[in-house]
Amino acid sequence: MSLSTLTKPADAPSTVDASVPYYQSVGNECEMFEQAFAQRLPLLLKGPTGCGKTRFISHMAAKLGKPLHTVSCHDDLTAADLTGRYLLKGGETQWVDGPLTRAVREGGICYLDEVVEARKDVTVVLHPLTDDRRVLPLERTGELLEAPDDFMLVVSYNPGYQHILKSLKPSTRQRFVAMSFDFPPPAVERDIVAKESGLPAERCAALVNLAASLRGMKGQDLEEGISTRLLIYCATLIQAGMPILDAARATIVEPLSDDADVQEGLMEAVRATFG
Amino acid sequence: MSLSTLTKPADAPSTVDASVPYYQSVGNECEMFEQAFAQRLPLLLKGPTGCGKTRFISHMAAKLGKPLHTVSCHDDLTAADLTGRYLLKGGETQWVDGPLTRAVREGGICYLDEVVEARKDVTVVLHPLTDDRRVLPLERTGELLEAPDDFMLVVSYNPGYQHILKSLKPSTRQRFVAMSFDFPPPAVERDIVAKESGLPAERCAALVNLAASLRGMKGQDLEEGISTRLLIYCATLIQAGMPILDAARATIVEPLSDDADVQEGLMEAVRATFG
Amino acid sequence: MSLSTLTKPADAPSTVDASVPYYQSVGNECEMFEQAFAQRLPLLLKGPTGCGKTRFISHMAAKLGKPLHTVSCHDDLTAADLTGRYLLKGGETQWVDGPLTRAVREGGICYLDEVVEARKDVTVVLHPLTDDRRVLPLERTGELLEAPDDFMLVVSYNPGYQHILKSLKPSTRQRFVAMSFDFPPPAVERDIVAKESGLPAERCAALVNLAASLRGMKGQDLEEGISTRLLIYCATLIQAGMPILDAARATIVEPLSDDADVQEGLMEAVRATFG
Amino acid sequence: MSLSTLTKPADAPSTVDASVPYYQSVGNECEMFEQAFAQRLPLLLKGPTGCGKTRFISHMAAKLGKPLHTVSCHDDLTAADLTGRYLLKGGETQWVDGPLTRAVREGGICYLDEVVEARKDVTVVLHPLTDDRRVLPLERTGELLEAPDDFMLVVSYNPGYQHILKSLKPSTRQRFVAMSFDFPPPAVERDIVAKESGLPAERCAALVNLAASLRGMKGQDLEEGISTRLLIYCATLIQAGMPILDAARATIVEPLSDDADVQEGLMEAVRATFG
Amino acid sequence: MSLSTLTKPADAPSTVDASVPYYQSVGNECEMFEQAFAQRLPLLLKGPTGCGKTRFISHMAAKLGKPLHTVSCHDDLTAADLTGRYLLKGGETQWVDGPLTRAVREGGICYLDEVVEARKDVTVVLHPLTDDRRVLPLERTGELLEAPDDFMLVVSYNPGYQHILKSLKPSTRQRFVAMSFDFPPPAVERDIVAKESGLPAERCAALVNLAASLRGMKGQDLEEGISTRLLIYCATLIQAGMPILDAARATIVEPLSDDADVQEGLMEAVRATFG
Amino acid sequence: MSLSTLTKPADAPSTVDASVPYYQSVGNECEMFEQAFAQRLPLLLKGPTGCGKTRFISHMAAKLGKPLHTVSCHDDLTAADLTGRYLLKGGETQWVDGPLTRAVREGGICYLDEVVEARKDVTVVLHPLTDDRRVLPLERTGELLEAPDDFMLVVSYNPGYQHILKSLKPSTRQRFVAMSFDFPPPAVERDIVAKESGLPAERCAALVNLAASLRGMKGQDLEEGISTRLLIYCATLIQAGMPILDAARATIVEPLSDDADVQEGLMEAVRATFG
């Protein structure tokens, strides 16, 4: 069972558990996560779109047997969206915890995806949770919650999007242990695509090669390299019987660009791979 | 019976059903839609104003026998407009589902037209619905809705309008299977205009030829090519007995431009066609 | 009896009815309006300040025997101002229809004056009313109103004011049959001024000649040509016994400009006409 | 008895009434006002700070025996501030008329001072009151108030402050009969200062001469010419026994400028007059 | 007893009263204040940070035996913050007077510090209080309060901060009798510092000399001259036994600048004075 | 026991108390703080991220035996967040004190971290607390709280972040005794890192040397020097058994920069230190 904002682990975590989402490690990222968890240090993940950060965290949460609370951040996300607010019920205002507060009360991992998108007052909530105090003050209720030992804060952002108005201030960045993520190496990515789509691994290899060459175009014609997710979409449609070029146009060319010239360049790369 | 925000299909869908809106396929778009629906993948449609995207989706929803929930996005559309909010009723706050939530609860196709216009927090609602989790978290009610197999998310935008402040981020784009739409080929468009207006097809052919030449002016004097809808308006007024030049001025020249020189150029094209 | 936001026609409309506001046709605009009404097509009127658009619509509404709902649009006008909102009454929230909703429920003509001034979410409300669905979805109440056959939407704007931030998007413009308005020809305008002010037509002719020459100054020293309304004001004050130059200064020179040089030029034109 | 927002006239107005505020006419402005009132036309007053516009309107309202409702407009003034709003009283919302609505219900003169400062939705409220409909629609209550014959709308602004973002649109300006105001001629201003301050007229003459020369500096070193009000302040302090140069510094030099050089220039002019 | 927003005078004011805050007059400012109060004219004080404006007003209020209502203005201060608003109490809305309203009801001096910082609608509230009407209209309650004879409005601002977006419009400035303040002359300032800190006057003289030379740096390296308040802080710490250079760094150098070069220049001046 | 927003001291403060957080003094900062507290003067701390300002204040609060109220300021922090607001409880509005109000009522130290980030109305609340009045007016409740002798206000900001829109106005700055903070000297920092991480001091010395050289890069490639906190993170992971280079990458290189070239330069410095 896999829930987004609250991923409840099996009661007794085990090393190989069917409920642990598949994740293929490519370095020491699992050890680093476990050490940060053990030392009660907050963690910052950096990396491009669709390279597997979310999957990695789901995997680690399940492996550690801890619930996972995920929040996708955006321009209008405020501290109150994380901590909670009063709602009017039966003529009486009643406090309703936000996802961060629930995570601090109950323990587990709270993951703020694309944290640089959130509004600035979010920083204030995170600071006392990310130094040696490890507390969450709730001004509105007058509570001061102490985070349990098994609470861990994880945030992520995509360095490729950073700009002046939207970046983490050093006073915030310097509160996290940090790791960079990138797309998995070819053999790993091939196995991931095969596992998720059902398409035989040998047919997925060409897709992964294509992805590698397209990722080299980033910064020139493409804003961002192709994600592993789109490769899985493509393999899924091929496996369902769709002609390869049709599937590639719909899952690779069209999602990556609106520009006719760029699209033609992409289709040439597709034809060179599968032609 | 055709409703906008909720188009209920006939109880038993059939291949040729009077309740299926007329749509003339011009490629493999129907197969692509059906595959995306079958594989539970979200779909992105790109294309200019009035080229038939909305009609296509109505057609597919009816063909698949699924209800259609349509939302036109705009600058002030927020996540709460899609998911729902609490309203005060009888002194008690009561949750009222938004159109996206209704679509996830009941199944069917939810269509967000011109999605790039919506505010940024909409993205957050769409992300967990467009990866393998397929869930809709409702923070306010504490619910986590799992989308049924027959739920499908479709979004659209017009690449011609894209600008820096209003575009889909790659982290969102790369979650969709995508297709480009354009105006239908002449013979198809002629039949569409004839069917909708009642004007004989042979008289509609000249209108379609005129449209093709006007569409070549896009980017020079015209911001956008003429839509099939305006051709239908023109044919409708001609069929109702209005002089051709009067009808063309009111449905082609005036809607396309306010500039006197451009209007004169358009009228010359009209007179060259019908003179 | 003439009401602005809701102009109720006489029970039995007749061709020459005392309750039909006076309007002097200058082209095929009456036929075009009637055809658009008959074909259930929405209408867009373009034209400068005070050229008679509002009067024309009042005339047509009365002639067709339909109630008229007028809304003057502005920077802060939102969709809820058109569709309605909940108000707290007796401790209970109660829905109150806006003018557009009333027009759709009861039929008649809904006229949005200077529609480009309204906020962007207004567009969303208009779209499903301006294609073949002709429906008004009320998200807040869960209703989907189908417009009756005698509902007609009319919008207007002044092309002279258009600028980048305030213009109708092609995706909206191309949903309307459109007409351009201008000031009436001299003989017609003379009769209008005479009829409204009580000043004999032969004395009004000079005022109309003056207006024509002043309108030639638009874009140079004057932002906008003089309206027929100001001519009527001037004639009214003259008819009431005020010296011509005093009346012209107060109703023509001062309303048109604050610039001393431009005012002097205008007074010279006045003196040349009446001196 | 003199009240600002509501100046109630004596029961029986008479030509020379002690309750009529003193106003010294300098042209045909009184006749113009009376004609506009008689013809039920709205009036626009233009002129610099402190030249007597407010006093003029108080005078005319008292002379015509009509109540005067004054509203000073500002950046945040909205239509609801003029028309009214619902307030919660005893658990029930209750409508409370704004000053414009009261003026329309009860008759009298409604004066909007510095109308260009108000927010744009105010324009919408004024339009139906300033054409031949003379109605005030109250969307929130569903009422449509017809203005009585003795209702008159007067607005004012200072042309010297106009800039791009803050100006009356032609579509609004061209709805008013308009008059320009300026400071009164020397002999008139001398009498006004003497009457208001108690200082003998012969001693006021030098102050008025000084004012005339300072007003010639406008646009160079001074943003605005000195108002008659400041002359009255100065004369009042002199009459109370303050040394002339001290009084002039506090009521003329300091209020007009913060710039040391400009202040020195002003003091030189003061000393040249009184030295 | 000294209260900020409401300074209640002793029941029977006397010329030398222990409750009158110490203020050393440097010109005719006390006479000017008394005359403005006697003539019921509003007063505008101009001057740099910390030069004694607030103290002067406290002194005059106590001397005149009038309560003092002080409001520090800021970017978000609105008219309602001054006049009052409805609050919900026991299910019923109840009007709560703001500080300006209280001052008008009860008499006394209302002091708006840094008035240019307030939002624009504040101006509207001040205008009818600053001409011969001397009234405060409360639109929300329908009241029109007439100011008693012993009501006086005083406002202040710092001309050194003025910029385009934040300045008093001439139409507001020209409603006030105005005075400029500056730092007190050396002998006076020395006595003030000695009296407030307890440090002997002869030791304070060097501090005052230092201040004079630092004030000469304003506009070059320093945004603003050093205030008398900081001199008092410095003398207080010296009197408490702190080394002079340490005290000067903490109360003069660090508060005046963050720039290392400027700080070094300031320390040199300190050492030159005390070395 | 360590609480963030309210750090309650032990009942009887003593010079060496286990509840006093460790702080290694590097100058006269402790004496300065005690003097400011004794003289009832407000204090301003300036300094870079993570140099120990927060720790210093916790230390001093505990040493003085006073509770500590901490507020992290941000873009959306308003005066009401500090002073309190009315909340609806049981159909009745009820006042709830903010942290500043609680500090003034109960005494103790109120610390506003990064005060320049707060909204401008916060300044208004601070002004009457930072002059000789030492009062907190609560407009909403009508209270005027006098600060007890043991109330102290401390604010901080990072001069490295200052820019035009976000800085303390001189009229606010000149109300505080001020001190600059910087990173501790090497021997002190080494002992701090050792004490916090458990890693032997001799192994921490290399980390501190590395930090010194990296801090020299500030303003060139790095926005901000590395904080002592990150050194502690690094030492903690090393002490937990992680390879030095892995620990340094995760706690020094990745948190300081996203730029590949800068990261490589940082890794070289790491390898030069530990290689």
Side-chain angles (χ1 to χ4, degrees), chain B residues 4 88 227 233 250 254-255 258, chain C residues 46 93 133 157 174-175 178:
Chain B
S4 163
L88 197 64
S227 66
Y233 281 9
E254 292 283 357
D258 296 332
Chain C
K46 305 189 280 189
T93 53
R133 295 173 293 174
Y157 70 89
Q174 295 206 10
R175 292 166 173 278

Side-chain angles (χ1 to χ4, degrees), chain B residues 254 258, chain C residues 33 42-58 68-74 77 109-118 122 126 130 152-162 166-168 172-173 176-181, chain D residues 127 133 169 171 175:
Chain B
E254 292 283 357
D258 296 332
Chain C
F33 192 105
L43 189 64
L44 164 64
L45 304 185
K46 305 189 280 189
T49 297
C51 69
K53 298 189 296 286
T54 299
R55 176 65 64 105
F56 168 63
I57 293 166
S58 300
L68 172 61
H69 306 257
T70 300
V71 180
S72 296
C73 299
H74 57 87
L77 189 99
I109 294 160
C110 184
Y111 173 43
L112 305 183
D113 190 19
E114 304 222 26
V115 71
V116 292
E117 300 289 333
V122 164
L126 300 185
T130 51
M152 181 183 189
L153 179 69
V154 184
V155 303
S156 75
Y157 70 89
N158 182 343
Y161 289 163
Q162 295 255 59
K166 292 264 180 167
S167 63
L168 281 186
T172 302
R173 283 176 71 113
F176 290 87
V177 173
M179 291 194 290
S180 279
F181 271 67
Chain D
H127 275 199
R133 295 172 293 174
K169 291 192 301 181
S171 61
R175 291 165 174 278

Side-chain angles (χ1 to χ4, degrees), chain D residues 1-6 49-50 54-55 70-77 81 85 87-91 96-99 102 113-114 117 158 161 196 223-230 233 236-237 240-242 246-247 249-251 253-258 263, chain E residues 28 31-33 35-36 39-42 44 46 78-79 86 88 91-94 119-125 127-128 130-133 135 137-144 146 157-159 162 167-181:
Chain D
M1 177 189 178
S2 169
L3 297 186
S4 163
T5 47
L6 179 52
T49 297
T54 300
R55 175 66 63 106
T70 299
V71 180
S72 295
C73 299
H74 58 86
D75 283 29
D76 299 320
L77 189 99
D81 292 320
R85 48 171 57 89
L87 289 177
L88 197 63
K89 291 198 174 173
V96 177
D97 279 347
R102 284 200 298 273
D113 189 19
E114 304 223 27
E117 299 290 333
N158 182 342
Y161 290 163
E196 299 281 332
E223 194 181 350
E224 183 81 14
I226 187 171
S227 66
T228 304
R229 177 183 290 122
L230 284 182
Y233 281 9
T236 299
L237 291 181
M242 186 171 287
D246 286 358
R249 177 175 288 280
T251 60
V253 176
E254 292 283 357
L256 285 183
S257 177
D258 295 331
Q263 287 192 348
Chain E
N28 71 342
E31 292 74 20
M32 186 64 76
F33 192 104
Q35 278 292 353
Q39 302 298 332
R40 307 189 309 154
L41 299 178
L44 164 64
K46 305 189 280 189
T78 66
Y86 283 101
L88 196 63
E92 182 96 13
T93 53
Q94 193 176 317
R119 289 172 63 107
K120 299 304 187 204
D121 60 346
V122 164
T123 305
V124 174
V125 170
H127 276 201
T130 51
D131 57 28
D132 58 340
R133 296 173 292 174
V135 293
L138 298 177
E139 281 302 336
R140 294 299 181 90
T141 67
E143 289 177 279
L144 184 81
E146 293 197 59
Y157 71 87
N158 182 343
Q162 294 255 57
S167 63
L168 280 187
K169 291 192 301 180
S171 61
T172 302
R173 282 176 72 113
Q174 295 207 9
R175 292 165 173 277
F176 291 87
V177 173
M179 290 193 290
S180 280
F181 271 67

Side-chain angles (χ1 to χ4, degrees), chain A:
Chain A
M1 177 187 175
S2 168
L3 297 186
S4 162
T5 48
L6 180 51
T7 310
K8 286 200 185 123
D11 285 350
S14 59
T15 46
V16 183
D17 188 332
S19 74
V20 176
Y22 171 74
Y23 176 77
Q24 175 67 51
S25 170
V26 298
N28 70 340
E29 69 266 31
C30 295
E31 292 74 21
M32 186 65 77
F33 192 104
E34 285 173 348
Q35 278 292 354
F37 180 81
Q39 303 298 332
R40 307 188 311 154
L41 300 178
L43 188 64
L44 164 64
L45 306 185
K46 305 189 280 189
T49 296
C51 70
K53 298 189 296 288
T54 299
R55 175 66 64 106
F56 169 62
I57 294 166
S58 300
H59 173 78
M60 291 307 300
K63 203 166 152 197
L64 292 168
K66 299 296 169 194
L68 171 62
H69 306 258
T70 300
V71 179
S72 296
C73 298
H74 57 87
D75 283 29
D76 299 320
L77 189 100
T78 66
D81 291 321
L82 292 180
T83 55
R85 48 171 58 89
Y86 282 101
L87 288 178
L88 197 64
K89 290 199 175 173
E92 182 95 12
T93 52
Q94 193 177 318
W95 176 263
V96 178
D97 279 347
L100 181 64
T101 302
R102 283 200 299 272
V104 172
R105 283 198 208 276
E106 304 164 8
I109 294 160
C110 185
Y111 173 42
L112 306 184
D113 189 18
E114 304 223 26
V115 70
V116 294
E117 299 290 331
R119 288 173 64 106
K120 299 303 186 205
D121 61 346
V122 164
T123 305
V124 173
V125 170
L126 300 186
H127 275 200
L129 273 171
T130 51
D131 54 30
D132 57 340
R133 295 173 293 175
R134 281 175 65 89
V135 293
L136 176 63
L138 297 177
E139 280 303 336
R140 294 300 180 88
T141 67
E143 290 178 278
L144 183 82
L145 304 179
E146 294 195 58
D149 279 358
D150 68 343
F151 169 79
M152 181 184 191
L153 180 68
V154 184
V155 304
S156 75
Y157 71 87
N158 182 343
Y161 289 164
Q162 294 254 59
H163 55 84
I164 292 173
L165 289 176
K166 292 263 180 168
S167 62
L168 279 186
K169 292 193 300 181
S171 61
T172 302
R173 282 176 72 112
Q174 296 205 9
R175 292 165 173 277
F176 291 87
V177 173
M179 292 193 289
S180 279
F181 271 67
D182 206 343
F183 299 109
V188 174
E189 189 167 37
R190 182 200 59 204
D191 291 349
I192 293 170
V193 173
K195 183 171 189 310
E196 299 282 330
S197 69
L199 192 70
E202 57 275 17
R203 298 193 64 190
C204 295
L207 274 175
V208 169
N209 290 341
L210 175 62
S213 67
L214 296 185
R215 285 167 189 159
M217 296 170 68
K218 187 193 160 186
Q220 302 168 35
D221 290 324
L222 296 180
E223 195 182 347
E224 183 80 14
I226 187 172
S227 66
T228 304
R229 177 183 291 122
L230 285 182
L231 298 183
I232 296 170
Y233 282 9
C234 190
T236 300
L237 291 182
I238 292 170
Q239 173 69 2
M242 187 172 287
I244 289 179
L245 294 188
D246 285 358
R249 176 175 288 282
T251 60
I252 295 174
V253 176
E254 292 283 356
L256 285 183
S257 177
D258 296 333
D259 184 278
D261 291 341
V262 174
Q263 288 192 347
E264 182 48 34
L266 294 171
M267 272 316 284
E268 273 176 33
V270 169
R271 281 188 291 257
T273 303
F274 297 104

Side-chain angles (χ1 to χ4, degrees), chain C residues 9-33:
Chain C
D11 285 350
S14 59
T15 46
V16 184
D17 187 334
S19 75
V20 176
Y22 172 74
Y23 176 77
Q24 176 66 52
S25 169
V26 297
N28 71 339
E29 70 268 29
C30 295
E31 293 74 19
M32 187 65 76
F33 192 105

